[in-house]
Amino acid sequence: TNGTIYVRISNESRLDELHNVVISSPSARQALVYNSSTNVWNNTGVIPKKINSVTATTSTATLDFSGTDIIRFTLQSNVTILNITGAGDGQRCELEIIQDAVGSRTIIWPSNVRFGTDMTAIVLSIQGNKLDRVVLVYVDSIAKYDVISIVRGF
């Protein structure tokens, strides 16, 4: 029999309907990244979040990276108990460590911070009001933060 087929053409495509976009397990603050070897856009990574500020006024401090990638950490005391938590696997965690006006503040790094053979310790600037940047990458399979760079004396 003869009949009629009605077709509605829409130019309002969703990203995941496009042939070269693959979106899996989307979450907030992700970005689309183009993979030139597969010619496909994938959702991946986390867009850097706001800077959180923490001030160590006693010998104990907690740095929680679950809501940020950057923590501005002001030392007003020597820190002998440091807890670093909250990062996801592969997350780059940047610490901006700032000496107070007195300076010479120290940190005893926790056992979940791992040093490589070329960077075996973190020696902070001792001058007052100086900023040092320490970048860590979290490795979920071993529950460690690897130290990947240190830049001192800003």
Side-chain angles (χ1 to χ4, degrees):
T1 63
N2 291 334
T4 304
I5 298 176
Y6 294 95
V7 178
R8 179 175 175 240
I9 298 174
S10 173
N11 290 329
E12 299 175 19
S13 297
R14 294 183 355 214
L15 278 175
D16 58 352
E17 293 174 338
L18 300 174
H19 75 280
N20 66 341
V21 176
V22 176
I23 297 178
S24 59
S25 302
S27 64
R29 305 188 63 81
Q30 286 187 321
L32 284 178
V33 177
Y34 187 71
N35 182 334
S36 61
S37 65
T38 61
N39 297 321
V40 172
W41 291 86
N42 298 97
N43 62 311
T44 186
V46 177
I47 298 169
K49 299 176 185 175
K50 66 179 182 172
I51 297 173
N52 285 350
S53 294
V54 174
T55 300
T57 57
T58 67
S59 62
T60 300
T62 297
L63 305 176
D64 184 357
F65 281 99
S66 61
T68 189
D69 294 323
I70 302 170
I71 294 178
R72 187 165 289 145
F73 186 35
T74 302
L75 300 177
Q76 293 180 349
S77 175
N78 292 326
V79 177
T80 57
I81 301 172
L82 180 62
N83 301 302
I84 303 176
T85 64
D89 191 33
Q91 181 178 343
R92 290 175 57 96
C93 304
E94 182 176 337
L95 290 173
E96 295 180 348
I97 302 170
I98 305 167
Q99 294 281 353
D100 65 3
V102 173
S104 297
R105 306 294 187 181
T106 60
I107 297 173
I108 295 177
W109 295 93
S111 61
N112 68 339
V113 172
R114 185 169 73 158
F115 297 93
T117 57
D118 60 340
M119 230 181 312
T120 59
I122 296 172
V123 178
L124 299 174
S125 296
I126 60 171
Q127 298 87 0
N129 300 313
K130 287 293 185 182
L131 179 144
D132 300 330
R133 293 183 191 278
V134 176
V135 179
L136 313 165
V137 173
Y138 185 68
V139 182
D140 190 55
S141 62
I142 57 172
K144 300 270 185 189
Y145 291 84
D146 287 348
V147 178
I148 63 166
S149 70
I150 305 166
V151 183
R152 302 176 346 128
F154 291 99

